């Protein structure tokens, strides 16, 4: 016992790297973090095991682990949803007005690309689509569907073209 006390005193007096590491670790700890003994840690892990063991038979099955993970994921999703709701509910009344709800829309999430449309309609390659170019392309589509060339696209012709089902 006396050797341990003397050794600890020497380590402290000489600026031991072990003590320095312990002090650095304590400085990096989150605010309010408390040290935990091995016995406390084991007790907490045992309580966690009991919580995970849904049927109390002393073993964890894949189903019990999955159920626990699912429940944790649901709790986290609910927490995140509540945070999003709170950020959208600008007047704090507990409900979302149409204007508040509209803030959910993220137009940047929808990919926008004009090049496929330009490639399809811009016949002269000048990177603009004129009404004439637009009509040529769209009337070409109409004519392709109007199989009997009577100037009317019937439901049968639409079905044949895959536009609607009979």
């Amino acid at each position: 016992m006396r050797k341990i006390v003397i050794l600890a005193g020497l380590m402290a007096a000489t600026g031991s790297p072990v003590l320095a590491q312990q002090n650095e670790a304590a400085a990096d700890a989150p605010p309010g973090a408390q040290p935990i003994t091995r016995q406390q840690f084991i007790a907490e892990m045992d309580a966690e095991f009991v919580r995970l063991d849904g049927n109390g038979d002393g073993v964890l099955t894949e189903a019990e682990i999955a159920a626990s993970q699912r429940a944790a994921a649901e709790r986290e999703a609910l927490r995140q949803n509540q945070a999003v709701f709170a950020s959208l509910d600008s007047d704090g009344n507990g409900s979302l007005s149409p204007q508040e709800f509209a803030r959910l829309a993220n137009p940047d999430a929808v990919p926008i690309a004009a090049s496929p449309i330009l490639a399809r309609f811009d016949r002269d390659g000048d990177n603009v689509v004129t009404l004439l170019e637009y009509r040529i392309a769209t009337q070409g589509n109409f004519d392709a569907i109007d199989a009997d060339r009577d100037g009317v696209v019937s439901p049968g012709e639409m079905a044949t073209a895959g536009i609607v089902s009979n």
Side-chain angles (χ1 to χ4, degrees), residues 101-120:
F101 185 76
R103 291 179 37 216
L104 277 173
N106 181 3
D108 295 332
V110 178
I112 298 171
S115 56
I117 293 172
L118 282 174
R120 182 171 178 200

Side-chain angles (χ1 to χ4, degrees), residues 69-94:
Q69 290 174 336
R70 191 175 310 104
E74 288 172 3
R75 285 190 304 273
E76 178 58 18
L78 179 60
R79 186 196 65 75
Q80 289 179 15
N81 289 343
Q82 288 170 333
V84 168
F85 184 90
S87 72
L88 293 172
D89 185 17
S90 56
D91 59 10
N93 69 353

Side-chain angles (χ1 to χ4, degrees), residues 19-35:
L19 289 179
Q21 286 176 346
Q22 288 174 349
N23 289 336
E24 287 174 18
D28 292 338
Q34 298 294 318

Side-chain angles (χ1 to χ4, degrees), residues 10-12 19 29 44-45 49 58 61 69 94-95 125-126 149 158:
L10 285 173
M11 290 173 66
L19 289 179
E44 287 183 23
M45 293 302 100
F49 184 93
T61 64
Q69 290 174 336
S95 63
D126 64 353
R149 304 281 185 250
M158 288 180 198

Side-chain angles (χ1 to χ4, degrees), residues 4-150:
I4 294 172
V5 172
I6 294 171
L7 180 59
L10 285 173
M11 290 173 66
T14 59
S16 162
V18 172
L19 289 179
Q21 286 176 346
Q22 288 174 349
N23 289 336
E24 287 174 18
D28 292 338
Q34 298 294 318
I36 185 169
T37 66
R38 181 179 192 82
Q39 184 178 359
Q40 290 168 324
F41 178 79
I42 291 171
E44 287 183 23
M45 293 302 100
D46 286 353
E48 178 70 6
F49 184 93
V50 169
R51 188 188 64 75
L52 292 171
D53 185 14
N55 63 4
D57 66 356
V59 295
L60 298 180
T61 64
E62 184 176 344
E64 289 170 325
I65 294 168
S68 173
Q69 290 174 336
R70 191 175 310 104
E74 288 172 3
R75 285 190 304 273
E76 178 58 18
L78 179 60
R79 186 196 65 75
Q80 289 179 15
N81 289 343
Q82 288 170 333
V84 168
F85 184 90
S87 72
L88 293 172
D89 185 17
S90 56
D91 59 10
N93 69 353
S95 63
L96 297 181
S97 68
Q99 294 78 16
E100 290 169 327
F101 185 76
R103 291 179 37 216
L104 277 173
N106 181 3
D108 295 332
V110 178
I112 298 171
S115 56
I117 293 172
L118 282 174
R120 182 171 178 200
F121 294 106
D122 182 20
R123 297 182 55 95
D124 62 8
D126 64 353
N127 284 329
V128 295
V129 177
T130 64
L131 178 59
L132 178 61
E133 290 171 320
Y134 186 79
R135 282 189 179 165
I136 289 170
T138 57
Q139 286 177 11
N141 290 341
F142 183 93
D143 292 342
I145 297 168
D146 185 17
D148 61 10
R149 304 281 185 250
D150 66 354

